[in-house]
Amino acid sequence: MTITVFANAKLADGSLRDIHVENGRIVAIETAGKAAPSATVTHLSGDLLLPGFVEGHIHLDTSFYGGKWVPHRPCTNGFDVHERVAFQAENMAKAEPMAERARNQLDLCISKGTTQMRSHVMVDGSVGLTSLETILAVREDYRDRIDIQLVAFPQSGILKSPGTPELLDEAIGLGADLVGGLDPASFDRDVNGHLDVVFGVAEKHGVDIDIHLHDAGSMGAFTIEEICDRTVALGMQGHVAVSHAYGLGDLAPDAAKKIAARIARSGVSIMTNAPGNHNFPPVALLRREGVTVFSGSDNIRDSWWPYGDGDMLHRAEIIGYRSGFYTDDELAAAFDIVTAAGAKALRLEGYGIEVGAKADFVSLAAGHVPEAVIAFPTRHKVYKQGRLVAENGRVTR
């Protein structure tokens, strides 16, 4: 098969290189200007070449992006997950078809440079397996443009929603890649019972875990400790993530440092999108202690908030801004959260700009990584296994 050379690409270290791609993989990285005459050449003209972005937490089944505008409805007495779930059910009943909305959201994310994604999809007594079946079909349609992990997500709880334990078990057999959970203490009000189901399904099927945890303060911290203990007891280090973990942002510095060390020892990853109306995990502290911190858009124009643009570089900027990141090293850390750290948390094979990796990358009009994080480059191209899938904010067909 003909080798394609992506010529004169600027790498993160500032060097100019020619990237040789064959069968969707990087087979060589050479000094710029050494492309063989027989190769097909794509000229990058000194643009910055970065690995495709990792969208580590999104909800393809519940976004209204691309459909009619849905005004945000505030909770009646402060943030309340139960009430937000009820609002979501009402809005979903009037929304455009799920498959159409999911495709709109995927096109948005791909156009902004995402090549790897983890989406949570509702699986519980309120919707059964219907949402999962729809998103599985959409995933198949997009398999050549983006890799998608699906989490069976019990949005209505596990113990409070009749039949959900059995549905989560069935969802893995149907094609979901991970099993999820939701606020074991505050939603189901039974931490052990909730985690028994989640870890039980994971152990039975040999799949990973990603648990939503919105609980604040000591309740959230206690739940994280329970998750860490179970992770270690079952030998699942590196296979478990906690999404949001707002409670970590409520702790005093000494307490936060102590639990961060415990999280690092357990190999549990932490996902944050640095939401504007909540405390969020102390990113720099967690990373210093060895915790893998990754990110995602979470909700894009849905029943939880009207924001979201699917741009993981913008998400890195938000994390950096809210974390007080100013130096080049700190901005590079924000970039790592939406690329290499995300790849580690999702346990992605063949990620990065290196020989043997998948040719999934983004070229940008930026001088270096810190500039890419803060400048919102508008000229960019997105490649999946060496094939152009988006250019300047528009997907190619």
Side-chain angles (χ1 to χ4, degrees):
M1 190 171 182
T2 303
I3 290 178
T4 299
V5 176
F6 292 85
N8 206 32
K10 181 186 291 183
L11 301 190
D13 63 4
S15 63
L16 291 176
R17 295 286 188 263
D18 289 345
I19 312 299
H20 297 238
V21 173
E22 185 176 19
N23 294 327
R25 296 268 177 171
I26 298 174
V27 295
I29 299 177
E30 305 285 354
T31 302
K34 292 188 176 182
S38 61
T40 299
V41 179
T42 296
H43 295 280
L44 297 183
S45 305
D47 279 356
L48 184 64
L49 192 74
L50 303 171
F53 309 141
V54 180
E55 168 57 81
H57 185 115
I58 202 167
H59 295 263
L60 289 174
D61 55 334
T62 58
S63 172
F64 305 128
Y65 182 80
K68 62 180 180 294
W69 180 258
V70 179
H72 181 73
R73 183 177 174 186
C75 291
T76 55
N77 187 26
F79 178 72
D80 183 275
V81 174
H82 294 78
E83 195 169 24
R84 292 250 63 88
V85 171
F87 293 165
Q88 178 174 278
E90 294 176 19
N91 288 333
M92 292 277 286
K94 299 178 288 186
E96 287 83 356
M98 182 179 295
E100 176 184 327
R101 293 183 283 106
R103 289 188 176 94
N104 289 338
Q105 195 172 13
L106 281 169
D107 286 349
L108 173 70
C109 294
I110 293 167
S111 75
K112 299 298 179 67
T114 290
T115 59
Q116 307 278 347
M117 173 181 287
R118 175 179 288 178
S119 174
H120 299 254
V121 181
M122 285 180 63
V123 173
D124 54 37
S126 69
V127 298
L129 298 169
T130 303
S131 297
L132 178 61
E133 291 168 342
T134 298
I135 301 303
L136 282 167
V138 173
R139 176 171 72 174
E140 180 63 21
D141 289 345
Y142 276 75
R143 62 181 304 189
D144 294 331
R145 284 167 273 175
I146 186 170
D147 296 326
I148 306 172
Q149 296 179 0
L150 297 180
V151 185
F153 172 47
Q155 178 74 86
S156 300
I158 293 176
L159 307 180
K160 283 189 173 181
S161 182
T164 296
E166 294 77 17
L167 287 167
L168 293 174
D169 182 83
E170 191 174 349
I172 303 301
L174 192 63
D177 304 286
L178 298 89
V179 60
L182 171 70
D183 298 334
S186 65
F187 205 98
D188 272 342
R189 306 191 69 80
D190 184 346
V191 174
N192 287 329
H194 189 104
L195 295 181
D196 282 347
V197 174
V198 174
F199 279 86
V201 172
E203 189 175 21
K204 176 181 176 180
H205 293 280
V207 297
D208 290 2
I209 292 169
D210 194 327
I211 299 175
H212 280 62
L213 184 61
H214 306 94
D215 292 339
S218 58
M219 181 183 289
F222 170 76
T223 304
I224 289 173
E225 290 174 341
E226 290 294 299
I227 292 169
C228 290
D229 288 349
R230 286 183 181 243
T231 299
V232 173
L234 292 174
M236 292 188 66
Q237 295 93 327
H239 295 261
V240 177
V242 174
S243 289
H244 304 308
Y246 294 153
L248 294 178
D250 298 326
L251 303 178
D254 287 347
K257 188 174 187 299
K258 182 178 179 181
I259 196 171
R262 187 168 181 173
I263 295 168
R265 289 193 301 271
S266 74
V268 169
S269 300
I270 299 294
M271 192 294 302
T272 184
N273 63 328
N277 62 335
H278 293 285
N279 286 338
F280 67 101
V283 172
L285 184 152
L286 289 171
R287 285 175 57 91
R288 283 197 302 270
E289 293 298 319
V291 178
T292 299
V293 181
F294 67 111
S295 189
S297 300
D298 191 16
N299 310 103
I300 294 180
R301 298 191 194 178
D302 68 357
S303 302
W304 296 70
W305 55 54
Y307 295 101
D309 61 4
D311 189 338
M312 293 309 296
L313 274 183
H314 188 196
R315 186 59 51 186
E317 188 265 351
I318 291 171
I319 292 169
Y321 181 84
R322 293 211 65 205
S323 298
F325 288 176
Y326 303 114
T327 68
D328 281 3
D329 285 346
E330 289 170 332
L331 293 174
F335 177 75
D336 182 73
I337 288 168
V338 303
T339 51
K344 182 179 179 181
L346 272 60
R347 300 200 301 117
L348 301 179
E349 181 274 326
Y351 183 84
I353 307 296
E354 58 186 37
V355 174
K358 294 178 181 178
D360 297 350
F361 39 69
V362 180
S363 65
L364 298 170
H368 43 68
V369 166
E371 182 184 359
V373 171
I374 59 89
F376 307 120
T378 55
R379 193 183 86 235
H380 63 271
K381 296 180 180 180
V382 185
Y383 298 90
K384 182 65 179 170
Q385 296 188 5
R387 184 174 65 87
L388 183 70
V389 293
E391 183 173 6
N392 298 330
R394 301 180 70 88
V395 296
T396 59
R397 298 298 184 187

